Amino acid sequence: MVCGVKTLGQFIIEKQADFPYAKGELSRLLRDIGIAAKIVNREVNKAGLVDILGDVGTTNIQGEEQKKLDVYANEQFIAALTSGGECCIVATEEEDEIIHIESPVSQNAKYIVCIDPLDGSSNIDVNVAVGTIFSIYRRKSVEGLASLQDVLQKGTEQVAAGYVIYGSSTMLVYTTGKGVNGFTLDPSIGEFCLSHPQMKIPETGYIYSVNEGNYVHFPDGVKKYIKYCQVEDVSTKRPYTSRYIGSMVGDIHRNLIKGGIYIYPTTSRSPNGKLRLLYECNPMAFIIEQAGGKASTGFDRILDINPAELHQRVPVFIGSKNMVEKAEEMMLIYTEKPLSVEEKVESKLEDLGVVGGID
Ligand code: P6P
């Protein structure tokens, strides 16, 4: 205990006992992520003072302007994961392809990390909270170089997931499947200290987070749910409050503490939704489910989705259980469920006269 508080490092070691076969690799991997988060935090906090705001002048595979801090954060997390030696592949929003960590130690490491190094970076220049989101898997392949197949695992296979929110204070929130714990960075000692043990999301809430500027392009089920949130009904404390800051980590962190729902559905510009399955929706879904909430596409559980590609996007309805279930109810009534990737292939084959599909 440092000055009466439990640091992230102490907590990780203490909880390692939860995993009888753990030899400390996951503990060290979480420590490496914590170190990179502190380095990124330092730059985020002084972003207005040094030439690290604004665009790099390049775009990532998503076609999004890369901010200098996006690139900086990406470099710091990759460097920390490389030096730590516990990770063999990094899949990051900022790189088109997976990154094999080349060192001999890392090539035989057993963990895969999927990461959005700096989510919500369009907010950096206007000083609104941004975040890092990470997801950790055990590699499935047992020999040779790990591959993309080791990365494209269902969310239920995650061994850990977490986020860092660089806001009025900097917090790291993570789960290893045994609850959710939050740590606040104490700059005076440079340590993340346990501040929010065993976080639970209220079963219902009164905040809905969605970009209503896209309203006309939303599925009817989403339009109906938004109108449901806005109708006066004292018995259910409606109308709810609308809060949307354009930073998934910020919106979901608030909803985790106060209760609420975050929705990024399909829109005309994002026909599959905007948020990425592997390094945004899956980690957030793991955390929110572990905190007692729910996360779906409006129809199916996020964590059950079989990823088809690295930067796959999915619609996301995530937050307080009762609110997500109400939104799903509206989607079921008013919106036709889109075909899954497998169903689209099957349907195409049938159109082409390939009866019974391909075994
Ligand atoms: P829009 C940030 O770019 C992000 O990925 C999430 O953090 C955020 O919730 C969403 O996109 C904002 O998107 O289309 O509403 O500006």
Side-chain angles (χ1 to χ4, degrees), residues 210-226:
V210 64
N211 182 345
E212 294 187 62
N214 296 321
Y215 182 87
V216 294
H217 302 299
F218 283 159
D220 288 343
V222 174
K223 291 179 179 174
K224 289 290 187 184
Y225 181 68
I226 290 172

Side-chain angles (χ1 to χ4, degrees), residues 64 93 116 119-123 211 214 244 246-249 251 262 264 269 274-276 280:
E64 294 165 343
E93 183 196 48
D116 182 355
D119 176 71
S121 53
S122 55
N123 286 310
N211 182 345
N214 296 321
Y244 188 79
S247 171
M248 182 192 203
V249 173
D251 280 317
Y262 171 96
Y264 207 108
R269 263 180 303 182
K274 177 182 181 184
L275 281 307
R276 275 57 56 130
E280 290 171 326

Side-chain angles (χ1 to χ4, degrees), residues 125-146:
D125 299 1
V126 295
N127 209 9
V128 169
V130 293
T132 297
I133 311 171
F134 63 88
S135 173
I136 300 174
Y137 291 90
R138 199 173 283 104
R139 70 179 280 185
K140 293 292 189 189
S141 54
V142 292
E143 57 191 9
L145 273 181

Side-chain angles (χ1 to χ4, degrees), residues 180-315:
V180 179
N181 292 283
F183 300 79
T184 300
L185 183 64
D186 180 341
S188 67
I189 58 172
E191 290 284 0
F192 281 106
C193 299
L194 182 62
S195 53
H196 297 66
Q198 285 305 320
M199 298 177 84
K200 290 292 177 196
I201 186 169
E203 207 162 60
T204 197
Y206 310 102
I207 297 171
Y208 68 102
S209 310
V210 64
N211 182 345
E212 294 187 62
N214 296 321
Y215 182 87
V216 294
H217 302 299
F218 283 159
D220 288 343
V222 174
K223 291 179 179 174
K224 289 290 187 184
Y225 181 68
I226 290 172
K227 289 308 165 199
Y228 170 83
C229 294
Q230 294 171 343
V231 161
E232 184 88 26
D233 179 322
V234 175
S235 68
T236 52
K237 297 184 182 177
R238 287 180 289 150
Y240 295 153
T241 296
S242 173
R243 285 282 183 280
Y244 188 79
I245 68 168
S247 171
M248 182 192 203
V249 173
D251 280 317
I252 291 183
H253 182 71
R254 180 200 53 247
N255 293 349
L256 169 56
I257 291 173
K258 295 191 167 192
I261 184 171
Y262 171 96
I263 302 175
Y264 207 108
T266 58
T267 67
S268 55
R269 263 180 303 182
S270 306
N272 297 313
K274 177 182 181 184
L275 281 307
R276 275 57 56 130
L277 174 62
L278 282 179
Y279 39 79
E280 290 171 326
C281 297
N282 268 340
M284 284 311 207
F286 189 17
I287 292 164
I288 291 298
E289 285 199 5
Q290 280 290 308
K294 203 167 181 191
S296 81
T297 61
F299 298 102
D300 301 310
R301 184 185 183 212
I302 291 282
L303 295 183
D304 287 338
I305 297 173
N306 268 310
E309 55 186 30
L310 189 57
H311 299 288
Q312 178 173 343
R313 300 172 190 266
V314 292

Side-chain angles (χ1 to χ4, degrees), residues 147-159:
S147 71
L148 182 60
Q149 288 319 308
D150 286 297
V151 178
L152 299 181
Q153 296 186 50
K154 290 197 327 186
T156 47
E157 297 298 306
Q158 292 175 95
V159 292

